[in-house]
Amino acid sequence: MAASTLAEVAKLAGVSPATASRVLNGSSRKPGEDIAERVRQAAESLGYVPNAQAQALAKSSTGLIGLVVHDIADPYFSAIARGVQQVAREQHRMVLLATTGGTPVDEREAVAAFAARRADSIVIAGTRSTRTEDAAANLELAAELDRYCRNGGQVAVVGQPIVGAQETDGYHVVTIPNIALAEKLATSLAGLHDGPFVIIAGPAGLATSDERIEGFQRGLAKASLSPAEVIRAGFNREGGFEAGKELASRIQPRQSGEPALRHCIFAANDVMAIGAAASLRENGLRIPRDVAIAGFDDIETLRDFRPSLSTVRLPLEEIGSLATLSTVEHHRETSGQITGQVILRRSTEPS
Amino acid sequence: MAASTLAEVAKLAGVSPATASRVLNGSSRKPGEDIAERVRQAAESLGYVPNAQAQALAKSSTGLIGLVVHDIADPYFSAIARGVQQVAREQHRMVLLATTGGTPVDEREAVAAFAARRADSIVIAGTRSTRTEDAAANLELAAELDRYCRNGGQVAVVGQPIVGAQETDGYHVVTIPNIALAEKLATSLAGLHDGPFVIIAGPAGLATSDERIEGFQRGLAKASLSPAEVIRAGFNREGGFEAGKELASRIQPRQSGEPALRHCIFAANDVMAIGAAASLRENGLRIPRDVAIAGFDDIETLRDFRPSLSTVRLPLEEIGSLATLSTVEHHRETSGQITGQVILRRSTEPS
DNA sequence: CTGTTAGCGCCTTCAA
DNA sequence: TTGAAGGCGCTAACAG
């Protein structure tokens, strides 16, 4: 039993479909109040629900926003999603969600699905990959987006531009100044620590991770410190945990009285920092007594993490909102106005 | 410039639209391989992307799953969302996301929007409200769902049935045994604590919260303990924080040597527990030394929360998957097979 | 201000 | 196996 249609409503009200449409949806001049009321009553009594698919077909505009994330349960992404969702509500649009795990292959697939559904705009969050093995997939992704834009779609990418994507006017980038911010963080930490610096990062070729490494090293260099060792692992809690474990095996707890060489760890994102902290603790190391550690993002989870973690605050929700806004209005200016902020907390307190 | 259509592809390939359709989408008998190849090439060269809206209109099936949550950035909901998303991927469907903040009014609106988009199924997560001021909205919500089901839609509700919803065969409930589990938790805690029990819960009329209170009190009663005082606040971290603050003002830190009266707090969900723990700590109380506390849900965040929190583990992802599955296949049996588990951790260790 | 006529892009009978 | 025709539900031009 299918839902009732506009035609049925019209017939019941004794008017033409066009009139019924004008009363129930259209914004053009309103038909006479007498007849309008009849239509509304007919619609009500039939439980009429307009078919958005059909409307979209006729109007060629769906009111759909496609959101691509790696993992919706990751606090980083869910915060961004909240921002996207907020704008969507304000604009009376709906969010289509796709999770990819982070591979360009899946991202391409998600974009294709959104394109098929004729989403008005697409927001892509999550780091780009510059790995050679992803080069082909990246190109396909870029091509897919290109086609989508050429067909009138709007896309916003969070973080860094997609390799090979054309600079059409439907393509927006919300740039996150990872390098500059990581450099600032390094500068701040350099003032507090003498010990060797270590970076726990994602695999080589993850743009966000690589940028943060680069910025951090640059900051150390400017402070005349030798570059940090870089430990690679998964760009998530699990990876941080493993890296932390490895690190723990070579770090000694401080003996009382000893001056001690206290390592200062920079994890390329907060979830890695949390994972690392967990494994360090499991191995009997205390933060910040035995090791200092800082993260990046300032995800909401940090609010209740002890010891409180130093990090770089990113306005995640705002990033999501901004990205979405840049696609719904045609503000090129809304792109890339993100600012972050170094936040020092207990985890990096000097001893 | 619109995307190219099936007709264009057909013309380019020198075949009829029907044939092109059969080659590119339809599953009926396959046209000759020679002609099929021509069509595929034509599609490729034109960058043809099938219009899912049009397909949906013609087939009256959209492949859309609507998900309603209170807040996508809340770990409880994002975990469920992950489960939903997972099934969606397996089934080659897409997830439409709506966040409501928890009011039945907004939920009704979300359901209406999903119905308009002709989502094949709708999953509603988040506690029901039994408050009298929500009664009207609940009825409207129920009516909306009813109509949706009558039109062939499938709906799954997580937690408890919606007040007033008809028992049609498109209506599934994934029941969470809040009462039984809370009772078990109380039983476990009763064995460890003598001190007064206190429940920090959401406002009266939130079904999930009320059920957990009821179960907990029942457990205490069976252990011949007097009922716990109930403190009401928002059913979120903020609420937990406030409740914790109030509680802290009347709890004394344990003096060394004193036998001390140690309170045992049960927060109706984990985020409340986390909030409460934060304010207790801010007020100089230590867990579990001065106060014991337990939560409910076992959200992922707990993994890195110190002290580790006792709670009731709910298979959140599985709940999301199960709810979704119950709507895509027509298994009534998939409904309501959730089991939880009491997990005792450090936060409730006896002194 | 209302009704009529065409499509929007696709799928699915039906006949060839 | 392939093509032609009709319709999915709605909107947007055009008449009246």
Side-chain angles (χ1 to χ4, degrees):
Chain A
M1 179 188 309
S4 51
T5 76
L6 187 59
E8 296 173 353
V9 173
K11 191 165 56 178
L12 203 167
V15 299
S16 77
T19 303
S21 170
R22 292 191 260 258
V23 173
L24 298 173
N25 314 308
S27 50
S28 55
R29 284 175 191 168
K30 301 164 188 173
E33 182 50 43
D34 48 341
I35 209 91
E37 190 49 35
R38 265 218 322 265
V39 173
R40 270 187 287 261
Q41 289 210 350
E44 172 67 21
S45 75
L46 259 58
Y48 169 71
V49 179
N51 186 326
Q53 310 275 351
Q55 291 185 146
L57 227 202
K59 294 193 303 194
S60 69
S61 159
T62 58
L64 251 27
I65 297 172
L67 172 61
V68 181
V69 298
H70 291 189
D71 173 10
I72 191 59
D74 179 319
Y76 174 83
F77 291 108
S78 60
I80 290 178
R82 188 196 258 160
V84 172
Q85 179 64 48
Q86 200 172 293
V87 172
R89 279 200 73 170
E90 289 166 5
Q91 307 267 342
H92 299 283
R93 294 161 192 275
M94 297 223 71
V95 172
L96 267 174
L97 184 63
T99 52
T100 64
T103 70
V105 176
D106 287 345
E107 289 177 331
R108 195 201 67 78
E109 195 177 317
V111 169
F114 289 153
R117 293 229 141 73
R118 298 299 189 267
D120 293 337
S121 48
I122 295 179
V123 175
I124 303 182
T127 180
R128 298 299 95 215
S129 167
T130 60
R131 287 186 285 192
T132 51
E133 67 248 51
D134 283 330
N138 270 328
L139 247 40
E140 285 185 57
L141 172 58
E144 196 74 49
L145 283 172
D146 240 49
R147 166 166 37 184
Y148 174 73
C149 285
R150 222 174 301 121
N151 290 336
Q154 297 279 320
V155 9
V157 187
V158 172
Q160 49 276 129
I162 285 170
V163 185
Q166 305 288 321
E167 284 292 329
T168 70
D169 60 343
Y171 182 71
H172 309 168
V173 178
V174 175
T175 306
I176 298 178
N178 288 310
I179 299 182
L181 290 171
E183 180 181 334
K184 265 194 190 169
L185 177 62
T187 305
S188 302
L189 294 179
L192 304 171
H193 296 269
D194 320 310
F197 285 85
V198 179
I199 300 176
I200 291 181
L206 289 196
T208 299
S209 174
D210 288 346
E211 289 172 4
R212 292 175 183 179
I213 294 173
E214 183 186 337
F216 198 84
Q217 299 286 34
R218 189 180 295 179
L220 292 183
K222 286 199 181 161
S224 308
L225 293 173
S226 48
E229 174 191 3
V230 178
I231 299 181
R232 305 279 186 176
F235 198 47
N236 48 37
R237 183 190 182 282
E238 190 58 27
F241 190 87
E242 284 169 20
K245 192 159 58 180
E246 195 208 311
L247 210 45
S249 68
R250 0 177 193 140
I251 296 182
Q252 307 295 327
R254 283 171 97 186
Q255 306 300 333
S256 58
E258 257 180 273
L261 202 65
R262 193 174 60 138
H263 286 71
C264 181
I265 301 172
F266 167 51
N269 69 29
D270 284 340
V271 290
M272 288 193 84
I274 287 175
S279 59
L280 290 171
R281 180 163 35 210
E282 274 188 15
N283 284 276
L285 295 168
R286 309 242 340 206
I287 300 168
R289 198 193 62 181
D290 304 316
V291 205
I293 184 166
F296 204 110
D297 289 339
D298 200 28
I299 56 176
E300 211 171 293
T301 313
L302 288 201
R303 186 163 176 180
D304 293 296
F305 187 82
R306 293 303 117 140
S308 58
L309 277 188
S310 297
T311 190
V312 174
R313 168 186 290 271
L314 249 32
L316 297 173
E317 262 184 69
E318 193 185 327
I319 287 172
S321 304
L322 231 57
T324 311
L325 267 181
S326 74
T327 67
V328 297
E329 309 172 350
H330 295 242
H331 291 335
R332 276 194 83 76
E333 325 91 54
T334 40
S335 305
Q337 293 302 334
I338 297 304
T339 59
Q341 191 180 350
V342 171
I343 304 209
L344 296 181
R345 301 201 180 100
R346 209 170 96 74
S347 69
T348 54
E349 272 179 8
S351 36
Chain B
M1 178 190 310
S4 50
T5 76
L6 186 60
E8 296 173 353
V9 173
K11 191 164 56 177
L12 203 169
V15 300
S16 77
T19 303
S21 171
R22 292 191 259 257
V23 173
L24 297 174
N25 314 307
S27 50
S28 54
R29 285 174 191 167
K30 300 164 187 174
E33 183 51 44
D34 48 341
I35 210 90
E37 189 52 34
R38 264 218 323 266
V39 173
R40 270 187 286 262
Q41 289 210 349
E44 172 68 20
S45 75
L46 258 56
Y48 170 73
V49 179
N51 187 326
Q53 311 274 351
Q55 290 185 144
L57 227 203
K59 294 193 301 194
S60 69
S61 158
T62 58
L64 252 26
I65 296 171
L67 172 62
V68 181
V69 298
H70 291 188
D71 174 9
I72 190 59
D74 180 316
Y76 173 82
F77 290 108
S78 61
I80 290 179
R82 190 196 256 159
V84 172
Q85 178 65 50
Q86 200 172 292
V87 172
R89 281 201 70 171
E90 288 166 5
Q91 308 265 343
H92 299 283
R93 293 160 194 273
M94 298 221 72
V95 172
L96 267 175
L97 184 64
T99 52
T100 63
T103 71
V105 177
D106 287 347
E107 290 178 329
R108 194 202 65 81
E109 195 178 317
V111 168
F114 289 153
R117 293 231 139 75
R118 298 298 188 267
D120 294 336
S121 47
I122 295 180
V123 175
I124 303 182
T127 179
R128 298 299 93 216
S129 167
T130 58
R131 287 186 285 192
T132 52
E133 66 248 55
D134 284 329
N138 270 328
L139 246 40
E140 286 186 55
L141 172 58
E144 195 75 49
L145 284 171
D146 239 48
R147 164 164 37 179
Y148 175 73
C149 286
R150 222 175 302 122
N151 290 336
Q154 296 280 320
V155 9
V157 187
V158 172
Q160 49 277 126
I162 285 172
V163 184
Q166 305 288 321
E167 285 292 329
T168 71
D169 61 341
Y171 182 71
H172 309 168
V173 179
V174 176
T175 306
I176 298 179
N178 288 310
I179 298 182
L181 290 170
E183 180 181 334
K184 266 194 190 170
L185 177 62
T187 305
S188 301
L189 294 178
L192 304 171
H193 296 269
D194 320 309
F197 285 85
V198 179
I199 300 176
I200 292 181
L206 289 196
T208 299
S209 174
D210 288 346
E211 289 172 3
R212 292 175 183 178
I213 294 173
E214 182 185 337
F216 197 83
Q217 300 285 36
R218 188 178 298 180
L220 292 183
K222 286 199 181 164
S224 308
L225 293 173
S226 47
E229 173 191 4
V230 178
I231 299 181
R232 305 278 187 176
F235 199 47
N236 49 36
R237 184 192 180 281
E238 190 59 25
F241 190 86
E242 284 168 20
K245 194 159 58 182
E246 195 208 312
L247 210 45
S249 68
R250 5 178 189 140
I251 296 182
Q252 306 296 327
R254 282 171 99 186
Q255 307 299 332
S256 59
E258 256 182 275
L261 203 65
R262 193 173 61 137
H263 286 72
C264 181
I265 302 172
F266 166 51
N269 70 27
D270 283 340
V271 291
M272 288 194 85
I274 286 176
S279 59
L280 291 172
R281 179 160 39 210
E282 273 188 17
N283 285 276
L285 295 169
R286 309 234 349 200
I287 301 167
R289 200 195 59 181
D290 303 317
V291 203
I293 184 167
F296 205 111
D297 289 339
D298 200 28
I299 56 176
E300 211 171 294
T301 314
L302 287 201
R303 187 164 175 178
D304 293 298
F305 187 83
R306 294 304 118 144
S308 58
L309 278 187
S310 296
T311 189
V312 175
R313 167 186 291 272
L314 249 31
L316 297 173
E317 265 185 66
E318 193 186 326
I319 288 172
S321 303
L322 230 57
T324 311
L325 266 181
S326 73
T327 67
V328 297
E329 310 170 350
H330 296 242
H331 291 336
R332 277 195 82 78
E333 324 91 55
T334 41
S335 304
Q337 292 305 333
I338 297 305
T339 59
Q341 192 180 350
V342 171
I343 303 208
L344 295 181
R345 301 202 181 99
R346 210 171 94 73
S347 69
T348 53
E349 272 179 9
S351 37

